[in-house]
């Protein structure tokens, strides 16, 4: 098996071989000459004391000993190793996906390349694994080729916000195994856990960027309070250019920013403009140099109600209080249906609808919510359901609310099912009725509930998962 030399720079010692050979070429051979008298010795004294400038190579025992000494020294300095059968190690590089790595992306790539060269000098074959700190699924690269690994880093673009590195580090440790190496590449020393091998890149940069935006509702739509932060250690004066529609020249606004502080200012869109782009001067971190402002306008939603008169009065008051909601004009297709009936008589799956149970049997117990984007932040403790309808969720439905072991509310496509008679509902003093309904929010923003719902393949899996949950798992926050 061919050995692996861990110190290839030792082969420069082989240059001593031609040097030794040249020295032996320059050796002068002593000549013997017979003479009869001693008085001739002075005349035979050599006139050229340096000897011949060049002579034929004289091979001797000392020559071969010197060559052998050079070879042995080179062998020792090169530190050859013979990999055993099946030997090797997995080296995992975790690259910080935070957006603050963007200015130092090339430095991070160079750091990976240098670490690879250092590890290769150990003489053990390596399998390289490159992954981001927010990576999901396949890594950027996995294989033995250094060249292909560095080429795969072209796909790495750090754009994520602040996130925890622990999940990625646990995954890397599992992939590397007990004999592998994990190496974190980051620009922030405080993000490196204790005992984790890491490589730091980057340097302090002068940066000014947009830090936040707050709508000022009292001033009407199209008015915001904008925050700008100076992340530099010194005070700066920055100029914001404001570009609006209509081809008008951009407006300018100058700000004086103290080091490490946030400065706020207010801005209103011109009445004739629907959007504007605010830009800061270009710096090393361009991700926070541009801010898009768009005047908000509620999307029109035409509502058709096919529910009893008592419930209809309640919903008409709710709909009239919501911006953009109005009864459907005669002869037009509604955007939202409010129905009362059984599942098999409900609206088509592609039509947005809220469906209530027509009647139900008495029920008791607290209302609990599944963990889901449509229920997070809502407090269901004030919702009292005296009876539960006979509707049943379909196979692809995602249950949102339970009362005991009975499904109380679920989403199926664009349809929200509320499995109780609405006219018999009782709400706590803080109840907001349908104004906070998650399905209405999805309709107004143009998002289908299907896009935000993990839908199980079988209804049985929903019921079994519900039985494993404890009844103390209440959602917290505002009241529905």
């Amino acid at each position: 098996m061919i050995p692996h030399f861990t110190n290839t720079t030792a082969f420069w010692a082989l240059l001593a071989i031609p040097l030794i050979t040249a020295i032996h070429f320059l050796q002068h051979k002593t000549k013997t000459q017979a003479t009869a008298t001693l008085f001739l010795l002075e005349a035979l004294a050599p006139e050229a004391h340096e000897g011949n400038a060049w002579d034929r190579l004289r091979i001797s025992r000392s020559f071969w000993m010197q060559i052998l000494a050079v070879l042995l020294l080179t062998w020792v300095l090169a530190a050859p190793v013979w990999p055993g059968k099946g030997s090797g190690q997995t080296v995992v590089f975790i690259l910080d996906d935070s957006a603050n790595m963007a200015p130092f992306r090339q430095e991070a790539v160079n750091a990976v390349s240098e670490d690879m060269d250092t590890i290769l000098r150990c003489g053990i074959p390596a399998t390289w694994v490159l992954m981001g700190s927010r990576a999901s699924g396949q890594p950027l690269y996995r294989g033995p080729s250094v060249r292909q690994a560095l080429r795969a880093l072209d796909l790495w673009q750090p754009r994520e916000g602040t996130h925890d590195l622990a999940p990625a580090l646990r995954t890397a440790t599992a992939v590397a195994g007990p004999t592998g190496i994990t190496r974190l590449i980051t620009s922030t020393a405080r993000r490196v856990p204790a005992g984790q091998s890491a490589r730091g890149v980057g340097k302090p940069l002068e940066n000014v960027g947009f830090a936040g935006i707050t709508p000022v509702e009292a001033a009407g739509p199209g008015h915001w309070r904008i925050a700008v932060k100076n992340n530099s250690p010194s005070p700066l004066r920055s100029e914001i250019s404001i570009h609006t529609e209509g081809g008008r020249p951009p407006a300018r606004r100058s700000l004086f920013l103290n080091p490490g502080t946030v400065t706020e200012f207010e801005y209103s869109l011109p009445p004739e403009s629907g959007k504007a782009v605010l830009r800061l001067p270009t710096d090393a971190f361009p991700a926070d140099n541009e801010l898009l402002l768009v005047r908000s306008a509620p999307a029109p939603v035409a509502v058709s109600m096919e529910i009893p008169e008592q419930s209809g009065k309640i919903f008409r008051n709710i709909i009239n209080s919501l911006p953009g909601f109005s009864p459907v004009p005669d002869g037009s297709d509604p955007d939202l249906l409010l129905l009362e009936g059984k599942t098999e008589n409900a609206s088509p799956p592609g039509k947005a609808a809220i469906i209530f149970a027509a009647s139900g049997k008495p029920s008791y117990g607290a209302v609990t919510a599944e963990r889901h984007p449509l229920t997070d932040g809502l407090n269901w403790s004030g919702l009292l359901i005296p009876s539960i309808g006979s509707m049943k969720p379909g196979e692809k439905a995602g249950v949102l609310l339970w009362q005991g072991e009975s499904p109380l509310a679920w989403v199926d496509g664009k349809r929200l099912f509320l499995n109780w008679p609405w006219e018999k509902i009782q709400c706590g003093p803080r109840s907001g009725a349908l104004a906070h309904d998650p399905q209405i929010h999805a309709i107004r923003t143009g998002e289908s509930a299907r896009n935000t719902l993990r839908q199980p393949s079988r209804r049985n899996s929903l019921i079994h998962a519900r039985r494993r949950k404890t009844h103390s798992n209440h959602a917290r926050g505002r009241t529905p």
Side-chain angles (χ1 to χ4, degrees):
M1 182 178 295
I2 300 176
H4 178 81
F5 296 97
T6 58
N7 183 21
T8 55
T9 57
F11 289 106
W12 287 101
L14 295 177
L15 294 177
I17 294 179
L19 179 61
I20 294 172
T21 304
I23 292 174
H24 280 267
F25 265 109
L26 295 174
Q27 285 184 352
H28 178 69
K29 181 182 178 181
T30 303
K31 296 182 179 181
T32 303
Q33 184 175 356
T35 181
T37 59
L38 297 176
F39 70 90
L40 296 177
L41 292 177
E42 183 177 356
L44 294 176
E47 296 180 359
H49 298 282
E50 67 275 7
N52 294 336
W54 193 258
D55 200 351
R56 64 182 181 85
L57 177 64
R58 296 181 56 81
I59 298 177
S60 62
R61 182 178 301 176
S62 62
F63 172 79
W64 292 114
M65 293 296 291
Q66 293 170 11
I67 296 296
L68 181 60
V70 171
L71 294 176
L72 289 176
L73 179 62
T74 304
W75 181 268
V76 172
L77 294 177
V81 294
W82 284 265
K85 184 178 182 181
S87 64
Q89 64 179 349
T90 301
V91 182
V92 184
F93 288 94
I94 309 99
L95 296 104
D96 192 347
D97 282 332
S98 301
N100 57 10
M101 287 285 290
F104 316 114
R105 182 185 174 280
Q106 188 57 47
E107 293 183 29
V109 173
N110 296 339
V112 172
S113 177
E114 294 172 3
D115 287 352
M116 285 182 169
D117 292 340
T118 302
I119 294 172
L120 284 176
R121 296 191 187 102
C122 297
I124 301 177
T127 298
W128 311 108
V129 179
L130 306 180
M131 57 180 290
S133 59
R134 287 292 295 268
S136 59
Q138 296 296 325
L140 295 172
Y141 176 78
R142 184 187 182 101
S145 174
V146 174
R147 180 176 299 179
Q148 294 181 11
L150 296 178
R151 190 178 302 142
L153 287 179
D154 294 339
L155 303 176
W156 176 58
Q157 299 295 333
R159 297 172 180 171
E160 299 290 337
T162 303
H163 58 279
D164 187 11
L165 299 179
L169 294 176
R170 286 195 297 267
T171 301
T173 302
V175 171
T179 60
I181 299 174
T182 61
R183 187 79 159 166
L184 174 63
I185 309 296
T186 183
S187 62
T188 309
R190 64 176 179 272
R191 290 172 61 83
V192 182
Q196 173 63 49
S197 174
R199 176 75 178 268
V201 297
K203 59 183 178 181
L205 297 174
E206 289 192 354
N207 170 252
V208 174
F210 293 107
I213 178 173
T214 304
V216 182
E217 297 180 358
H223 190 90
W224 298 271
R225 183 180 296 109
I226 302 168
V228 180
K229 184 176 182 181
N230 179 13
N231 298 293
S232 305
S234 58
L236 294 174
R237 181 171 296 277
S238 183
E239 186 178 68
I240 300 176
S241 61
I242 304 172
H243 304 260
T244 56
E245 297 176 313
R248 296 185 301 177
R252 306 285 178 178
R253 181 156 191 165
S254 180
L255 292 177
F256 179 80
L257 307 170
N258 290 315
T261 60
V262 176
T263 302
E264 292 186 339
F265 68 95
E266 294 189 4
Y267 174 75
S268 295
L269 273 175
E272 67 276 8
S273 299
K275 63 180 180 179
V277 179
L278 279 62
R279 292 191 178 97
L280 286 165
T282 303
D283 53 24
F285 187 71
D288 58 357
N289 289 343
E290 187 171 297
L291 180 65
L292 174 64
L293 302 177
V294 180
R295 190 190 305 274
S296 62
V301 179
V303 183
S304 174
M305 294 185 291
E306 301 177 13
I307 54 179
E309 182 178 356
Q310 182 178 357
S311 301
K313 293 180 181 178
I314 300 175
F315 283 105
R316 286 189 185 92
N317 293 334
I318 295 174
I319 289 172
N320 291 334
S321 66
L322 297 176
F325 282 74
S326 61
V328 61
D330 295 336
S332 301
D333 292 331
D335 300 311
L336 173 64
L337 297 174
L338 299 183
L339 305 175
E340 185 181 64
K342 298 181 179 180
T343 304
E344 55 267 23
N345 298 328
S347 67
K351 182 68 70 173
I354 301 176
I355 304 166
F356 305 95
S359 60
K361 58 182 180 179
S363 64
Y364 306 94
V367 176
T368 57
E370 294 281 357
R371 289 189 177 273
H372 191 277
L374 297 180
T375 59
D376 288 346
L378 297 174
N379 182 7
W380 303 94
S381 60
L383 182 63
L384 304 178
I385 305 296
S387 61
I388 295 181
S390 59
M391 295 190 299
K392 303 295 181 182
E395 294 183 355
K396 296 183 178 181
V399 176
L400 304 176
L401 300 177
W402 298 83
Q403 189 175 46
E405 299 296 331
S406 302
L408 194 60
W410 59 89
V411 173
D412 191 349
K414 294 183 178 181
R415 301 175 298 171
L416 173 64
F417 291 85
L418 303 179
N419 195 22
W420 67 83
W422 182 262
E423 64 274 7
K424 297 182 181 180
I425 190 174
Q426 299 181 27
C427 299
R430 295 180 298 149
S431 175
L434 193 62
H436 297 297
D437 194 294
Q439 183 71 357
I440 286 184
H441 172 74
I443 294 170
R444 291 193 60 200
T445 55
E447 298 175 358
S448 170
R450 183 187 304 272
N451 297 333
T452 58
L453 180 64
R454 293 182 179 178
Q455 299 179 341
S457 59
R458 296 190 302 273
R459 177 178 176 270
N460 290 337
S461 63
L462 291 170
I463 297 177
H464 293 331
R466 174 65 189 88
R467 288 175 178 173
R468 290 193 299 268
K469 294 176 63 66
T470 61
H471 291 291
S472 61
N473 184 20
H474 293 281
R476 298 180 180 178
R478 49 192 173 86
T479 304

